[in-house]
Amino acid sequence: MSRVPGWLGRLGAGLTEMSERLDERRAEVEKDTGSEPGAGRRADRPADPVPPAPRSAAAPAPRPAGPRPDPAQAVPWGVRVAAEAGWRLLVLAGTVWVLMRVISAIQLVVFTFVIALLVTALLQPTVARLMRHGVPRGPATALTAILGFVVIGLMGWFVTWQVMENIDTLSNQIQSGIDDLRNWLLKSPFHVTDKQINQIAKNLREAIGANTDQITSAGLEGVQVVVEALTGILLVFFSTLFLLYDGKRIWQWFLRLVPAAARPGVAGAGPRAWRTLTAYVRGTVLVALIDAIFIGIGIYFLNVPMAVPLAVFIFLFSFIPLVGAVASGALAVIVALVTQGVFTALMTLVVVLAVQQIEGHVLQPFILGRAVRVHPLAVVLTVAAGGMVAGIGGAVVAVPLVAVTNTVVGYLRSYSAEVAADQGGPSAVEDDQGGEEQPGRGGEGPEPVAVPSGERDGV
C-alpha cells in the first residue's frame, strides 16, 4: 500500500511537468505568429481540401468584375452623328415654324415693309443724285418719294381709264369673237356639234347660278381686300419715306442689336446685300419696261384692242419671275383670240414668245449680270414655294430674298476664312467645284467694323 501512492505521485509530477513544457512551447509559437491563442494549433494542422463545385457544360465561365462602359460609347458612330444632327434639325424646323406663324399673323406689315425696301432700292439712287446737286436730304427725299408714287398712281389710273373707256367696245368684240370661234369650231376637223356647244354654254350658266352665294361672298371679301390694299399702300408710302430719309441710322440701330462677335461680319455683309437688292430691282424694272414696250408695239400693230393697258399689265406682271411673263402673255393672246380671231392670236403668241426669248437669253444676263447669281432651278423652286406660302406677294419677294441671302452667305464665308487666316488657321475655303476660293476675291473681302457712311450704300 505504501508503494502505490509514491508511484502515482511521480506519475502525476511527470505529467504536470510535461504539461508545463507544452504550455511554454505553445506560448513561444503564439508569440512568433502573433495570432490569438489556439491559432497556432489550427495553423499546424493542414486545411481540409475543399472540393470544387461541379460546373455545368452549358454555363459560361465567370468574367472578372469591372467598371461598365459609357452607354454613349456603346452606340455606333453613325447613329450618334445622325441623332446629333436630327435633334438640331428638329430645333431649326420648330424655329422656322414659329417664325412662319408670326409672319402669317402680321402678313400685311411684313409685305408692306418688303415692298417698301424694293421701292427704296429703286428710288434711293435718285435721292443720292439730287443731294450731289446740292438739294438737302429732306426735300430730295420728299420730292423723290412723291414723284415715284405719283408715277405709280398714274399708271394705275391710266389702266383703269382705258379699261372703262373701252369696256363697251371690248364687250362687243368679245361677243363677235365668241361667235366667230363657235363658227370655226363647227367647221373645224374636231367634229364639234352645235348641240355640244350649247350644252357647254348651259353648263357655264348653271355653274354661275349655282355659285351665286360664293360669288357674293367673294365680292364681300373683295371689299376687305380693297381696304387692306389701301392700308398697305399707306404703310408702303410712309415706310419708303423713312427708309429714304433715315436709312443710315436705321441700319446703325439694327447693328447694335447684333452680338458684338458677329457685328463686323454683318456690318460688311449689309452694304453688299443692299447693292445686290438695288441691282435686282433696277434690272427687273428695265427688263420689264423693255418687254412691255416691244410686246405693246407688236400687239398695237396687230390691232389688238387696249394694247397700251395690256402693255402696262405686262410691265407689272414681269415683276413675278417666270410666272408673270407667262400669265401676261397668255392674257394678251386670249384678248387677241376673242377679238381678232385665231390668226391674230397666233401672231400675238409669236410676238410674245420672241420678246420673252430675247429677254431670257440676252437682256437678263446682260443687265443683271453677276449682281444676282441665282441658278434658274433655284428661281423656279423659290417662286413656287413663295407662291404656295404667301400667294402672289410671296412669289414677288421670293427671288430677291434668295439673291440677297446668297450674297450674304458668300460674303460671310469669305470673311470667316480671312479671320481664320489672320488667327493662324486655314487661309482658304473650298468652293462647290472642289477648288479654293480666296477670301476677298473679286472685291468681296470684309470691310471694317464701322458702318459705311457713303450715300451710295443707301439703307
Side-chain angles (χ1 to χ4, degrees):
M1 294 298 293
S2 61
R3 293 179 64 90
V4 174
W7 176 79
L8 289 176
R10 289 192 299 271
L11 180 60
L15 292 174
T16 301
E17 184 180 358
M18 186 180 298
S19 177
E20 292 176 354
R21 291 174 62 183
L22 289 175
D23 291 338
E24 292 175 359
R25 178 63 179 169
R26 185 168 54 251
E28 292 176 358
V29 172
E30 290 176 355
K31 184 178 180 180
D32 294 338
T33 57
S35 58
E36 61 182 2
R41 183 172 60 251
R42 290 194 301 268
D44 293 339
R45 290 164 39 182
D48 295 335
V50 180
R55 287 191 304 172
S56 175
R63 295 181 179 179
R68 293 185 177 183
D70 187 5
Q73 300 297 330
V75 180
W77 174 255
V79 177
R80 293 171 61 187
V81 172
E84 292 286 339
W87 73 261
R88 285 174 171 84
L89 288 176
L90 287 177
V91 172
L92 289 177
T95 304
V96 172
W97 183 81
V98 172
L99 182 62
M100 295 301 297
R101 296 285 294 180
V102 173
I103 291 176
S104 63
I106 54 173
Q107 186 174 2
L108 180 62
V109 176
V110 174
F111 275 150
T112 53
F113 183 74
V114 172
I115 294 174
L117 281 176
L118 297 177
V119 176
T120 303
L122 180 64
L123 299 180
Q124 196 276 332
T126 304
V127 176
R129 191 173 298 110
L130 290 175
M131 293 180 63
R132 284 196 297 268
H133 286 81
V135 181
R137 188 175 188 84
T141 301
L143 182 62
T144 303
I146 292 174
L147 287 179
F149 281 95
V150 165
V151 170
I152 296 174
L154 287 177
M155 289 174 58
W157 171 81
F158 178 77
V159 171
T160 305
W161 173 62
Q162 286 291 312
V163 172
M164 296 302 296
E165 284 290 324
N166 296 279
I167 189 67
D168 295 333
T169 304
L170 183 63
S171 299
N172 296 331
Q173 289 180 342
I174 290 175
Q175 184 62 41
S176 177
I178 292 175
D179 295 337
D180 294 340
L181 181 61
R182 177 176 180 175
N183 295 330
W184 181 80
L185 289 174
L186 291 174
K187 297 177 182 179
S188 67
F190 299 108
H191 304 289
V192 180
T193 62
D194 189 55
K195 182 178 179 180
Q196 291 175 337
I197 296 177
N198 292 333
Q199 185 64 34
I200 293 174
K202 180 180 178 181
N203 293 336
L204 289 175
R205 287 194 297 269
E206 290 178 354
I208 294 174
N211 295 302
T212 303
D213 296 336
Q214 287 81 357
I215 295 174
T216 303
S217 62
L220 295 177
E221 291 178 359
V223 174
Q224 182 180 359
V225 169
V226 170
V227 173
E228 291 182 355
L230 293 176
T231 304
I233 290 173
L234 291 176
L235 289 176
V236 169
F237 178 78
F238 284 107
S239 299
T240 303
L241 192 64
F242 284 109
L243 287 174
L244 286 173
Y245 180 76
D246 220 8
K248 177 183 172 183
R249 287 201 297 175
I250 294 174
W251 172 244
Q252 292 176 343
W253 172 82
F254 174 78
L255 281 180
R256 286 195 292 270
L257 301 179
V258 179
R263 196 171 298 165
V266 176
R272 285 168 173 78
W274 181 251
R275 285 196 290 270
T276 298
L277 183 63
T278 302
Y280 173 82
V281 174
R282 296 174 69 180
T284 303
V285 169
L286 185 57
V287 171
L289 186 61
I290 294 174
D291 283 354
I293 290 174
F294 282 97
I295 295 178
I297 292 174
I299 62 178
Y300 175 80
F301 283 106
L302 290 173
N303 293 323
V304 178
M306 295 192 303
V308 178
L310 286 175
V312 176
F313 275 115
I314 291 170
F315 173 78
L316 296 177
F317 274 75
S318 296
F319 285 92
I320 306 176
L322 302 178
V323 180
V326 175
S328 59
L331 178 62
V333 172
I334 291 173
V335 172
L337 177 64
V338 298
T339 57
Q340 298 297 325
V342 178
F343 177 76
T344 305
L346 290 176
M347 295 303 298
T348 303
L349 180 61
V350 170
V351 171
V352 171
L353 291 178
V355 174
Q356 289 180 356
Q357 289 298 315
I358 294 174
E359 169 205 338
H361 294 87
V362 178
L363 295 179
Q364 286 191 354
F366 178 74
I367 294 175
L368 296 179
R370 294 174 58 87
V372 182
R373 292 173 289 181
V374 181
H375 195 275
L377 178 60
V379 173
V380 174
L381 296 179
T382 300
V383 172
M388 293 174 62
V389 172
I392 297 178
V396 171
V397 304
V399 175
L401 179 62
V402 171
V404 170
T405 303
N406 183 40
T407 301
V408 171
V409 171
Y411 171 79
L412 291 179
R413 288 180 59 192
S414 300
Y415 178 81
S416 300
E418 183 161 318
V419 171
D422 293 340
Q423 295 177 354
S427 59
V429 293
E430 294 186 357
D431 60 7
D432 296 334
Q433 285 75 24
E436 291 187 350
E437 178 185 356
Q438 297 295 333
R441 182 178 61 184
E444 295 296 330
E447 290 188 346
V449 178
V451 181
S453 59
E455 296 297 333
R456 61 183 180 85
D457 290 332
V459 175

